[in-house]
Amino acid sequence: MTDAGRLPLVDAATDDPQLAKVFGRFRDAGHDVPALYRTLANAPAMLNAWVGLAWPLRNEATTSRALRELIIMRVAQLTRAAYEWVAHYPMAVRCGIAAEQLADLQRWRDSERFSDEQREVLALADELTDDVDVSDELWSALSARYEPGELVELVLTAAYYSCVSRTLRALRLPVDPDDPVLATF
């Protein structure tokens, strides 16, 4: 897609040393550099700070990746960040979140497709995104299930991806309106 949103896309073939680590990671894996990263590359130091939190959250956390992807998808829904939904949909499915669960995500409280643990992290995503806080009742339930470091990971996932959504929306990063995963968005 050539439409870059509100800012130009930095050429993925750039040899800018500040962008080499980030862009190189995609190229080395045989992937295109995503439009989000090419947009953020307009401020290389900010892109490096962005991945400094994003990549450890994605690859070094000890909590279930599936649970964290479920949080990400719910935050995308709540914040109406279609780009995030489209980008993370295949990751969520690869991590074990069923397509049927994603189709039911809007009504997760009434759906029988979610476990108690999934419901707790979805409640975390909802409360932190909508209320910018977590109730004592929910915190108590989460604290009974997770170690302190895991709680940090879950809270940071919900909070960080809320930031991601707001960034995507402000920069108006485009998505293909005909992408089939948007049917469940």
Side-chain angles (χ1 to χ4, degrees):
M1 188 172 295
T2 57
D3 184 9
R6 287 183 159 165
L7 296 174
L9 297 176
V10 172
D11 186 347
T14 183
D15 56 2
D16 181 317
Q18 289 191 67
L19 300 175
K21 176 184 172 193
V22 176
F23 284 16
R25 186 165 172 176
F26 289 100
R27 285 193 298 262
D28 293 348
H31 300 296
D32 292 334
V33 179
L36 170 59
Y37 288 71
R38 292 179 59 202
T39 300
L40 295 176
N42 283 287
M46 296 303 105
L47 174 60
N48 281 303
W50 181 275
V51 300
L53 182 55
W55 290 354
L57 272 176
R58 190 176 297 165
N59 302 308
E60 298 172 25
T62 61
T63 51
S64 160
R65 175 76 185 262
L67 288 175
R68 287 181 283 116
E69 287 296 331
L70 196 57
I71 290 170
I72 293 165
M73 296 302 284
R74 183 61 180 151
V75 170
Q77 253 184 358
L78 291 169
T79 58
R80 299 173 318 279
Y83 183 101
E84 188 171 350
W85 182 268
V86 170
H88 277 268
Y89 191 97
M91 290 182 239
V93 170
R94 267 195 313 273
C95 292
I97 302 301
E100 295 82 8
Q101 286 178 298
L102 294 171
D104 271 6
L105 194 55
Q106 197 71 260
R107 55 179 212 93
W108 67 265
R109 283 184 172 82
D110 301 322
S111 173
E112 295 179 9
R113 297 188 191 275
F114 300 94
S115 70
D116 289 343
E117 184 175 21
Q118 290 171 327
R119 288 176 191 287
E120 288 173 359
V121 300
L122 288 169
L124 171 70
D126 281 17
E127 287 187 17
L128 200 52
T129 304
D130 289 342
D131 303 331
V132 195
D133 198 0
V134 179
S135 68
D136 290 339
E137 178 183 351
L138 177 57
W139 190 260
S140 179
L142 291 166
S143 295
R145 187 181 297 276
Y146 299 103
E147 296 295 321
E150 294 172 322
L151 291 167
V152 169
E153 292 172 3
L154 295 173
V155 167
L156 280 177
T157 298
Y160 176 74
Y161 280 92
S162 185
C163 169
V164 171
S165 292
R166 286 156 171 80
T167 301
L168 291 167
R169 300 233 11 224
L171 297 175
R172 302 263 165 80
L173 285 169
V175 295
D176 178 356
D178 297 323
D179 192 309
V181 303
L182 288 174
T184 56
F185 178 62

